[in-house]
């Protein structure tokens, strides 16, 4: 009986581990040949230079990632006021090689609810990634003086 309880607990524990951040999924990663700290600094610089990407007060209650249990992720939110008005929750993704790091959109919010990548059809995914590349990735490449690669 003790073995059955132990095996049940072990299986539950392993299943719980696999349901962490991976359940978020992500859009395509953009990999930079720089350290995570350097990429984080580039993001901070971008937000300082372009405060229009900061979360507006009217949507602050939607920044609930900590409440949802994702506070362990190194995430940021980018807000876009032009149509379609939306915001992207992105995370920095450390790589095995400490000289390489990545960034990816984890979810998109239109002011009502967060939606994951699988909620969008192919044309919407393309639109979201094009906006991300043009407005965020291009600026990060300029700030960091390196070129990113699509994963």
């Amino acid at each position: 009986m003790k073995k059955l309880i132990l095996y049940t607990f072990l299986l539950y524990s392993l299943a719980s581990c696999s349901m962490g951040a991976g359940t978020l999924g992500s859009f395509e990663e953009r990999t930079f040949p720089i350290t995570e700290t350097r990429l984080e600094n580039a993001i901070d610089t971008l937000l300082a230079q372009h405060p229009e990407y900061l979360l507006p007060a009217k949507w602050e209650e939607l920044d609930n990632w900590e409440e949802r249990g994702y506070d362990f992720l190194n995430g940021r939110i980018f807000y876009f006021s032009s149509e379609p008005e939306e915001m992207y929750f992105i995370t920095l993704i450390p790589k095995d090689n400490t000289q390489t790091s990545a960034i990816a959109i984890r979810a998109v919010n239109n002011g009502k609810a967060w939606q994951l990548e699988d909620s969008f059809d192919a044309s919407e995914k393309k639109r979201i990634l094009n906006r991300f590349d043009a407005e965020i990735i291009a600026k990060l490449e300029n700030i960091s003086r390196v070129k990113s690669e699509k994963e």
Side-chain angles (χ1 to χ4, degrees), residues 32-103:
F32 288 78
I34 56 177
T35 64
E36 183 178 5
T37 300
R38 198 164 150 213
L39 181 56
E40 191 171 14
N41 290 338
I43 291 169
D44 292 342
T45 299
L46 183 147
L47 289 170
Q49 291 175 353
H50 298 276
E52 67 270 20
Y53 294 131
L54 293 172
L55 185 65
K58 70 179 183 177
W59 284 11
E60 283 179 354
E61 74 274 1
L62 298 171
D63 181 9
N64 56 4
W65 292 101
E66 188 172 330
E67 296 165 20
R68 298 169 122 201
Y70 290 100
D71 53 325
F72 63 92
L73 295 173
N74 189 357
R76 302 285 198 298
I77 292 177
F78 287 97
Y79 168 77
F80 302 95
S81 61
S82 60
E83 287 298 320
E85 184 180 21
E86 61 191 357
M87 60 184 169
Y88 301 167
F89 175 66
I90 62 94
T91 59
L92 282 89
I93 304 161
K95 297 296 186 176
D96 291 335
N97 172 356
T98 58
Q99 298 304 308
T100 305
S101 53
I103 186 174

Side-chain angles (χ1 to χ4, degrees), residues 2-14:
K2 287 182 181 179
K3 284 186 178 182
L4 178 61
I5 292 171
L6 181 62
Y7 287 128
T8 303
F9 178 75
L10 181 62
L11 285 173
Y12 176 77
S13 297
L14 290 173

